[in-house]
Amino acid sequence: MRGNPDNLRQAATRKSAAAQARAEQGLREMIRRGQPITFRGLAQSADVSLDLLCRSADIRRRVEQLRAQQRNHPPQPATLPPDDSPSSVVRTLTAQLTELKRRHRDEVQALRQALEAAQSENLELRRRLGPRHTTHPRRPDGDLLSKSGLNGAPRPQWCARPARPRRPETASA
C-alpha cells in the first residue's frame, strides 16, 4: 500500500475541523448582523458545503434552534446611520486631510520666513558692497535700464555712472 493512510485521515480530520470552525464563525457573524439564519445562507457566508452543515449534528441542531428563535422573535433591522452623518471612514479621511493641510500651512510659513531672511541678508550684503560693484543697472522688474533711464527719464542717482575724468586738451602750437 502506497502512502501513509494515517496522514490522510489526520489531514481529512483537520480539514473537517477547519470547515466546522468556519461554520461556527459564520453563524456568529450572521447573528451579529441580524441576518436570517438558513442553511444556504450559512453555507455561503462560511464558505462550506451544505452537505457538511447537514451531516454535522451540532451545527444542524444549532441552526434549527436559531431559526426557531427567529420565527418567534424576528430580528431587528440593522440601524443605519442617517444620511447626513458621515461614516467613520469619511471622518478618518477628513481628519487626515485636515492634518495634512495644517502641516502644509506650517511648511509654507516656514519657507516664507526663510525666504524673507535670505532676501534681507542679500539686501544687507548689497548695501555693504555699495554701488561700485553693480554690473548693469536694472529696472525694478529686472530689465536693463537704457542710457536715458526709465521711459526716457533721466537715470536715477542710484544707477548713474561715475563721470570719467576728461583729458586736458593740449594746445597745438
Side-chain angles (χ1 to χ4, degrees):
M1 186 177 198
R2 292 180 79 181
N4 189 342
D6 289 335
N7 284 344
L8 290 175
R9 278 188 220 98
Q10 289 174 0
T13 304
R14 283 194 304 267
K15 184 176 176 183
S16 177
Q20 287 182 355
R22 284 196 316 270
E24 287 292 330
Q25 180 61 34
L27 267 177
R28 284 192 291 274
E29 191 65 25
M30 291 175 78
I31 292 168
R32 187 183 66 79
R33 290 184 184 167
Q35 295 175 333
I37 306 295
T38 62
F39 283 104
R40 289 192 188 281
L42 178 58
Q44 260 187 335
S45 69
D47 194 28
V48 295
S49 68
L50 279 171
D51 185 49
L52 174 100
L53 296 176
C54 294
R55 279 186 296 124
S56 174
D58 292 338
I59 295 176
R60 182 181 183 101
R61 202 174 325 117
R62 187 143 181 240
V63 168
E64 288 172 351
Q65 176 191 7
L66 291 170
R67 282 171 56 180
Q69 282 180 355
Q70 283 186 345
R71 284 189 199 120
N72 296 335
H73 304 287
Q76 297 292 330
T79 57
L80 297 174
D83 292 339
D84 59 345
S85 70
S87 70
S88 63
V89 174
V90 172
R91 284 191 303 268
T92 303
L93 291 175
T94 302
Q96 288 176 352
L97 182 62
T98 303
E99 175 61 21
L100 287 173
K101 284 181 178 180
R102 185 196 58 77
R103 283 185 15 211
H104 177 72
R105 276 193 309 270
D106 293 346
E107 288 175 6
V108 167
Q109 184 179 9
L111 288 172
R112 282 185 178 150
Q113 289 172 350
L115 179 63
E116 288 174 8
Q119 286 175 337
S120 65
E121 183 179 335
N122 190 10
L123 183 62
E124 183 61 32
L125 289 172
R126 284 185 177 188
R127 284 183 186 146
R128 287 182 189 169
L129 290 175
R132 61 191 159 116
H133 291 286
T134 58
T135 55
H136 299 287
R138 296 184 180 271
R139 295 192 311 211
D141 65 355
D143 288 339
L144 288 175
L145 287 173
S146 63
K147 288 187 178 188
S148 62
L150 291 169
N151 299 326
R155 284 183 176 215
Q157 184 62 34
W158 59 269
C159 67
R161 291 188 183 154
R164 292 186 189 167
R166 293 188 178 246
R167 287 192 240 162
E169 290 185 27
T170 55
S172 304

